[in-house]
């Protein structure tokens, strides 16, 4: 239930941790390999904004496609898909795929 009691300070900490994880994981992805980014959040700041910032700093990656089994049951954007309780009977998640060029 932490996500329901999130403060601004906790959000800033979380955003920093997410940026760090993405940055540290990037060198381990081989050319043609995929880095799958998943959060249990609906916040654009934790999802699309994180991937957009990553893409600006890492030109060796591009946004990858998600399987239709996910996109057909979610709200999709340029950067990924938002799975909601209404459409997927989950607590709610975001998933995006980055592919190393």
């Amino acid at each position: 239930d932490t996500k329901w009691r999130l403060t601004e300070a906790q959000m800033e900490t979380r955003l920093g941790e997410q940026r760090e994880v993405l940055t540290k994981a990037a060198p381990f992805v081989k050319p043609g390999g995929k880095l799958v980014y998943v959060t249990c959040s609906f916040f654009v700041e934790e999802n699309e904004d994180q991937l957009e910032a990553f893409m600006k700093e890492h030109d060796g990656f591009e946004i990858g496609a998600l399987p239709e089994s996910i996109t057909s049951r979610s709200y999709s954007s340029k950067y990924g898909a938002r799975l909601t309780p209404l459409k997927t009977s989950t607590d709610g998640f975001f998933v995006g795929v980055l592919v190393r060029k």
Side-chain angles (χ1 to χ4, degrees):
D1 69 339
T2 301
K3 65 181 172 183
W4 304 117
R5 296 180 284 118
L6 187 64
T7 67
E8 285 186 43
Q10 291 168 324
M11 173 66 99
E12 286 304 314
T13 299
R14 184 177 294 168
L15 292 173
E17 292 167 345
Q18 291 165 336
R19 279 189 299 274
E20 183 179 357
V21 167
L22 281 168
T23 298
K24 286 185 174 182
F28 295 102
V29 181
K30 67 181 181 177
K34 297 177 182 178
L35 175 58
V36 179
Y37 179 73
V38 180
T39 71
C40 55
S41 168
F42 290 130
F43 295 121
V44 172
E45 296 87 350
E46 290 188 90
N47 301 313
E48 290 88 348
D49 288 356
Q50 289 284 29
L51 294 184
E52 182 177 26
F54 178 88
M55 296 295 292
K56 287 179 181 175
E57 296 174 10
H58 299 86
D59 61 355
F61 284 84
E62 60 191 5
I63 299 297
L66 291 165
E68 194 212 335
S69 60
I70 292 176
T71 58
S72 67
R73 297 176 36 204
S74 65
Y75 299 97
S76 298
S77 71
K78 173 183 175 181
Y79 293 102
R82 192 176 315 277
L83 290 76
T84 67
L86 179 63
K87 288 194 167 200
T88 60
S89 298
T90 65
D91 286 344
F93 297 92
F94 173 87
V95 59
V97 176
L98 300 166
V99 180
R100 185 168 203 126
K101 297 178 193 176

